[in-house]
Amino acid sequence: MVNYDSVTNGLKIEFIRNEKIFSGTVRYKGGVNGKEGVFIGIEADEPVGYCNGRLLGRIYFQCADKHGLFLTADEIRLASHLKKKRQVHVFSIKLISFLLENVLCINL
């Protein structure tokens, strides 16, 4: 699950469909005609969707047939490879800080 406010176009995400994890890219964020709430338009990497970015006669984004779907923020998560990169980045910063302070005796 991600925070709706942190979702941006182009963000790589993962979602569950038919008990399998799929990946995709955010292509739209906002309201959808005929539906309550706010949605995130996803271009799935595989044909597991139900549209091409058009829903109820309106074009929200464009993608290949059956690659588009609309989900809520609680139905998606940040793509796994991006979470790992963030963890490595935080670890690298902590390691550099430790080395500067303890090996080179530089206080930050």
Side-chain angles (χ1 to χ4, degrees), residues 30-32 35-39:
V32 173
K35 296 193 176 217
E36 287 287 320
V38 289
F39 292 86

Side-chain angles (χ1 to χ4, degrees), residues 3-55:
N3 181 316
Y4 177 80
D5 293 330
S6 68
V7 174
T8 58
N9 281 343
L11 182 68
K12 292 296 287 180
I13 57 92
E14 292 178 337
F15 59 95
I16 295 176
R17 193 133 170 103
N18 301 324
E19 299 182 21
K20 293 181 183 174
I21 298 173
F22 294 96
S23 59
T25 305
V26 173
R27 297 294 183 212
Y28 172 80
K29 174 179 147 178
V32 173
N33 288 344
K35 296 193 176 217
E36 287 287 320
V38 289
F39 292 86
I40 299 166
I42 307 296
E43 179 181 2
D45 293 342
E46 298 177 54
V48 295
Y50 48 81
C51 70
N52 62 358
R54 176 189 295 252
L55 192 62

